[in-house]
Amino acid sequence: MTPALNPISLLFASIFTSNILLANFLGMCSFISISKDMKSSNGLGLAVTMVLTVTTAVNWLILQMLQTLGLVYLRYIVFIIVIAAVVQMLEMIIDRVSQTLYMNLGIFLPLITVNCAILGVSLFMEIRNYSFIQSVVYGLGSGLGWWLAIMALSAIRKKVEKAPVPPGLKGAGITMIIIGFMAMAFIGFGGMLQVQ
Amino acid sequence: MNKEGTLYTVAFIFIVSFAFVFLLSMTNQATIERVRLNEEVARQRAVLSAMGVEATTVDEIRGEFGRIAADEEQGLFARRVDDRTVYAKEFSGAGVWGLITGFLTVTADLEEFVGIEIVDDNETPGLGGRINEPWFKEQFEGQRIPDDGIRVRAGHADPEAGIVDGITGATGTSNAMQAIINRTVEQFRSPDIRARLEELAGQLASGGEV
Amino acid sequence: MSDVDTRPGAILKNNLWTSNPIFMQVLGICSALAVTNLLTNTAIMTIGVTFVTGFSNLTVSLMKKFMPRKVRMMVQTLIIAFYVIIVDIVLKAYLPEISRNLGPYVGLIITNCIIMGRAEAFAQSNDPIPSLWDGVTSGLGYMGVLMVIAVFRELLGFGTLFGYQILPDAFVPWTIMVMPPSAFFLLGIIIWAGKTAMNREGAPA
């Protein structure tokens, strides 16, 4: 059975109130290392959004197939292969369509295969029994939310670089504290939306 | 044979994938019966728990569940607990993130709740997910059912007025629970379901044991 | 990474302390931070991670002679996914309650960067037994940090440890500890403490 969730509130919720990164801790690895630089953050954010939307849709279709075949227990392997294949395909398509886009995105695409947010969204989509439309909207929203979070963090990190931070806290330590504050701020969006 | 050649690579991937998938299906086959049994026992335990019956071991659960008159198709259950007849019904409704399913038990006269048990939810862990904690569920034990339905409000618990405590910071889940519980109560009140439940209760009275 | 010290003691110290995957490399936190608000869940989850890291390292090392370079990453992913599915099936069959609590986070062990990182950096170029040991100790280093976070979150957020009431009833639980931001704050503080201690020791930070 599918939950009765309005796609628009689902989109809003996945970007703000339950941001995949700040509430579910997914996609942290590349998040911390890339967020040092705003330009790369932007590129990676765009790439994650594209890949998330496409893989969630493809994985939804594959999951229906696995369910009819009774092979749901193989979903982890299948999902990760689908993700790797989609990433590879996107890389080739972008290469043909636009050279400038390829120059900007190309280096980030391989990083995405091991980004937990991508697999995470597919698994959440499965466990929450979303319909096709809900899954695509959820994938898109999570991507946009991740993009928003990484842009905000890299902007803040630029300022913090000049601040007198204790030596042990420099780098990863202070970044974690900043993410903590961002997560608190995003919880504040919760009051704006009633998903019912 | 050339280790980097295409033929070797393709053959290698095939053999490795085949071996792994084979081992996995063996493991899956070996445990599938156990997983199904776990699910069945978990479901029976949930019904019993919603009725306020304690049962921990698998044998206890099976034994206690045997004293329930059940209509599995409609998710309706009747049983005598402490000399009174109670009705349980399976519910399922939209929460913030996905479906919330579980069992709600009321007294036969629909005057008060006996208990509630959540079987599955996808609410945010630590926030909405706290509907699964004992303090939330225990509030319903013996709570009178107001005619206009109960309300779930964080920090404003007032059993006399039919208000139970909700979850701070999870207004969406609190509202969802309120809607689901009130809808289930309405279903208990509908003539069809009442008739079926009374029929089940009748089976109890005639035989004592089902 | 050819000059790695492969003596068991050196590996142990390295993985638990001087290059602890979490506070020195900030790797692999995605899949496990979310479950740190309860100690039991954290313990099971990190035992799962340790098991997967150890055995995927062992398998990668055993297979390295036959492995074509082109498909190395893919085969590694396959091996890791294999062990994660085993963990998932075993949890479902023997610990159904915990399996339900962990939900999708068990599957996310696959994308835990530590596992892939150890397979690539150590198992690929070392013998099976040291590789197994390296994987297990990396998992333990990871477990240590997450358990510390979980102790604080469960104690202050619920007043319990492993589900047993520890703090008196008069204690008002800190709701923030149950919510996501506290995990970030605690991790930040632990990284701070770890790095400061290490700087004092004179180890290269």
Side-chain angles (χ1 to χ4, degrees):
Chain A
M1 259 217 291
T2 336
L5 276 173
N6 171 353
I8 294 167
S9 27
L10 185 61
L11 181 70
F12 185 87
S14 53
I15 299 177
F16 296 104
T17 52
S18 290
N19 187 291
I20 189 85
L21 188 117
L22 299 171
N24 291 322
F25 307 93
L26 297 179
M28 294 282 299
C29 304
S30 37
F31 188 75
I32 302 224
S33 49
I34 299 290
S35 65
K36 279 186 203 123
D37 174 49
M38 269 188 93
K39 208 166 162 260
S40 323
S41 303
N42 200 14
L44 188 64
L46 176 62
V48 164
T49 310
M50 280 167 56
V51 172
L52 258 180
T53 318
V54 178
T55 51
T56 320
V58 175
N59 277 342
W60 189 88
L61 294 172
I62 301 253
L63 183 67
Q64 309 306 311
M65 225 160 74
L66 288 180
Q67 275 165 351
T68 27
L69 294 173
L71 293 174
V72 180
Y73 66 97
L74 287 179
R75 65 197 183 284
Y76 299 155
I77 286 192
V78 177
F79 281 177
I80 200 101
I81 292 176
V82 167
I83 291 168
V86 166
V87 168
Q88 198 94 111
M89 247 151 54
L90 265 181
E91 203 176 343
M92 290 192 291
I93 293 172
I94 292 173
D95 189 20
R96 302 273 153 79
V97 174
S98 151
Q99 271 303 310
T100 36
L101 192 61
Y102 185 72
M103 296 293 269
N104 288 323
L105 281 186
I107 44 164
F108 301 116
L109 283 169
L111 267 181
I112 287 179
T113 314
V114 288
N115 186 321
C116 1
I118 315 281
L119 181 63
V121 167
S122 285
L123 292 177
F124 275 121
M125 162 272 282
E126 180 226 336
I127 222 162
R128 290 171 184 164
N129 271 322
Y130 284 154
S131 70
F132 184 69
I133 302 290
Q134 284 169 335
S135 302
V136 174
V137 167
Y138 180 59
L140 175 68
S142 300
L144 291 174
W146 199 88
W147 193 356
L148 178 70
I150 195 169
M151 286 308 284
L153 181 67
S154 67
I156 298 173
R157 283 185 79 170
K158 239 193 180 103
K159 297 273 175 206
V160 172
E161 255 169 39
K162 301 192 185 90
V165 177
L169 197 57
K170 267 207 176 89
I174 189 72
T175 309
M176 294 310 300
I177 308 265
I178 298 170
I179 301 175
F181 282 119
M182 282 172 60
M184 280 176 77
F186 271 65
I187 287 175
F189 286 115
M192 288 170 65
L193 178 77
Q194 305 278 314
V195 185
Q196 240 311 281
Chain B
M1 196 166 176
N2 179 11
K3 208 174 99 177
E4 301 300 324
T6 313
L7 189 66
Y8 178 86
T9 309
V10 172
F12 181 82
I13 285 280
F14 257 103
I15 294 168
V16 168
S17 315
F18 182 80
F20 281 159
V21 170
F22 181 73
L23 284 174
L24 283 177
S25 28
M26 296 277 286
T27 326
N28 189 58
Q29 276 307 318
T31 54
I32 202 161
E33 187 53 27
R34 218 193 141 89
V35 171
R36 203 191 52 74
L37 211 70
N38 280 339
E39 276 163 11
E40 192 185 307
V41 170
R43 186 182 156 84
Q44 296 183 344
R45 188 200 330 241
V47 176
L48 289 169
S49 161
M51 289 177 166
V53 179
E54 293 263 343
T56 41
T57 69
V58 175
D59 290 338
E60 269 171 35
I61 291 169
R62 293 216 172 278
E64 292 288 346
F65 193 82
R67 296 168 60 191
I68 288 178
D71 179 348
E72 288 281 357
E73 242 162 63
Q74 293 190 55
L76 297 176
F77 306 87
R79 203 197 129 144
R80 290 196 64 79
V81 179
D82 300 335
D83 292 329
R84 59 178 184 177
T85 307
V86 297
Y87 296 154
K89 184 178 184 315
E90 188 165 22
F91 63 78
S92 145
V96 173
W97 283 111
L99 282 184
I100 301 177
T101 54
F103 298 97
L104 183 70
T105 313
V106 295
T107 51
D109 53 11
L110 297 186
E111 285 296 326
E112 51 182 69
F113 293 109
V114 175
I116 188 170
E117 187 58 49
I118 314 284
V119 174
D120 197 19
D121 71 84
N122 292 301
E123 303 309 288
T124 323
L127 274 173
R130 300 184 67 195
I131 49 173
N132 226 330
E133 287 175 14
W135 66 266
F136 181 78
K137 294 184 288 197
E138 279 163 9
Q139 299 180 89
F140 290 91
E141 290 165 18
Q143 165 69 43
R144 188 180 56 84
I145 305 176
D147 291 334
D148 55 349
I150 57 140
R151 279 177 289 163
V152 181
R153 291 277 173 278
H156 292 96
D158 184 357
E160 290 301 312
I163 305 176
V164 299
D165 202 359
I167 293 145
T168 320
T171 322
T173 305
S174 301
N175 290 343
M177 281 313 291
Q178 175 179 320
I180 290 169
I181 291 170
N182 286 332
R183 198 172 56 233
T184 313
V185 170
E186 279 313 307
Q187 288 166 350
F188 270 124
R189 286 179 180 147
S190 79
D192 286 356
I193 289 179
R194 257 212 106 157
R196 182 74 184 117
L197 281 166
E198 274 159 16
E199 203 179 305
L200 290 174
Q203 293 174 16
L204 283 178
S206 58
E209 305 271 315
V210 191
Chain C
M1 276 233 174
S2 53
D3 55 342
V4 199
D5 192 344
T6 53
R7 281 170 306 163
I11 295 177
L12 181 71
K13 177 156 191 264
N14 204 31
N15 285 340
L16 287 190
W17 184 241
T18 38
S19 55
N20 182 294
I22 293 195
F23 53 77
M24 291 316 293
Q25 307 170 43
V26 205
L27 281 182
I29 35 186
C30 359
S31 50
L33 265 188
V35 297
T36 51
N37 56 12
L38 286 173
L39 256 172
T40 319
N41 293 354
T42 315
I44 300 288
M45 180 79 179
T46 48
I47 289 172
V49 171
T50 310
F51 169 83
V52 175
T53 328
F55 281 91
S56 61
N57 253 8
L58 177 71
T59 318
V60 167
S61 179
L62 283 173
M63 283 170 62
K64 65 176 186 288
K65 276 205 202 87
F66 314 99
M67 191 102 73
R69 290 205 76 76
K70 274 182 280 193
V71 291
R72 199 181 71 234
M73 294 293 257
M74 221 189 119
V75 175
Q76 284 173 0
T77 315
L78 198 68
I79 295 171
I80 296 167
F82 168 77
Y83 284 111
V84 171
I85 294 179
I86 299 261
V87 169
D88 185 50
I89 291 177
V90 169
L91 283 182
K92 265 214 184 81
Y94 298 96
L95 295 167
E97 275 293 299
I98 288 178
S99 160
R100 227 186 51 188
N101 284 340
L102 294 179
Y105 290 98
V106 177
L108 287 170
I109 298 178
I110 298 176
T111 46
N112 188 319
C113 334
I114 295 176
I115 304 178
M116 196 67 143
R118 288 330 289 173
E120 203 41 34
F122 197 98
Q124 202 53 243
S125 49
N126 283 292
D127 290 334
I129 298 301
S131 297
L132 173 66
W133 179 242
D134 177 77
V136 170
T137 47
S138 290
L140 291 177
Y142 176 73
M143 180 190 249
V145 176
L146 289 185
M147 291 296 272
V148 171
I149 296 180
V151 165
F152 280 105
R153 287 186 78 184
E154 186 174 339
L155 191 65
L156 298 175
F158 296 101
T160 58
L161 284 180
F162 285 111
Y164 294 105
Q165 194 74 35
I166 299 287
L167 294 176
D169 280 341
F171 172 76
V172 180
W174 305 5
T175 312
I176 183 80
M177 278 296 163
V178 184
M179 291 158 74
S182 68
F184 291 114
F185 290 138
L186 283 170
L187 187 58
I189 293 167
I190 288 178
I191 292 174
W192 184 11
K195 277 200 176 168
T196 311
M198 222 167 278
N199 287 344
R200 201 161 293 164
E201 227 174 60

